[in-house]
Amino acid sequence: MKKKLSYIAISVTICLAIGFLSGFATQSSVNDWYLELNKPSFTPPNWIFGPVWTLLYVLMGVAAGLVWAKGFYHVWVKTALYNFGFQLLVNALWSIVFFGLKNPFFALLIILLLLALILLTIKWFNVVSKTAAYLLIPYFIWVCFATLLNYKIWELN
């Protein structure tokens, strides 16, 4: 149990760190470029994104920690965690492209790839731990919403 908690703590820390670093690309644009974009009526207020992403990164970290605790020596665990790590990097790339490079179209292509990678990660997590797979469902749903939002912003601008 102690080992599982340490894997979860490390995984949550890594996820939050990736989210924090992605926030650097986001912050400068959120206060100027993003404010001036035409956005759809269903766009949430800016203050909601921080708490939602923090919760999602925590859930992602707990899920990854549960998988890791099954034993990194196992090929299914390795495959699941490699998929997880790759989708986490693509997640960060989206922020850099959308906010840092201010390119909603290319960001849309990246977020579509991210959706596919999240589904693949859920599939592999499910092989190792059903609980871990379920913990990624809110993330998948939010990224579906973010994809629609990204598409509409691209379309409107």
Side-chain angles (χ1 to χ4, degrees), residues 98-153:
F98 188 90
F99 290 104
L101 300 178
K102 301 173 183 164
N103 190 332
F105 176 72
F106 193 52
L108 180 61
L109 298 179
I110 292 169
I111 204 168
L112 289 169
L113 172 64
L114 178 60
L115 280 174
L117 293 172
I118 294 168
L119 283 176
L120 190 60
T121 302
I122 289 171
K123 173 195 170 269
W124 279 107
F125 273 28
N126 192 52
V127 169
V128 178
S129 165
K130 291 198 184 315
T131 302
Y134 291 138
L135 288 170
L136 294 182
I137 291 173
Y139 173 45
F140 177 73
I141 292 168
W142 182 259
V143 173
C144 285
F145 173 71
T147 302
L148 177 61
L149 188 58
N150 187 153
Y151 171 76
K152 292 304 283 181
I153 289 171

Side-chain angles (χ1 to χ4, degrees), residues 12-85:
V12 168
T13 301
I14 290 169
C15 289
L16 287 172
I18 296 289
F20 179 75
L21 293 173
S22 297
F24 282 122
T26 306
Q27 199 52 47
S28 63
S29 292
V30 165
N31 295 327
D32 53 41
W33 172 77
Y34 183 74
L35 290 175
E36 297 182 16
L37 291 174
N38 295 318
K39 292 183 257 338
S41 60
F42 59 84
T43 302
N46 287 348
W47 64 265
I48 201 87
F49 290 98
V52 168
W53 274 110
T54 300
L55 175 62
L56 293 174
Y57 283 125
V58 168
L59 291 173
M60 292 162 60
V62 170
L66 290 173
V67 169
W68 185 11
K70 296 286 184 173
F72 194 70
Y73 58 87
H74 198 292
V75 68
W76 290 350
V77 171
K78 283 183 187 176
T79 303
L81 291 175
Y82 290 149
N83 277 281
F84 179 80

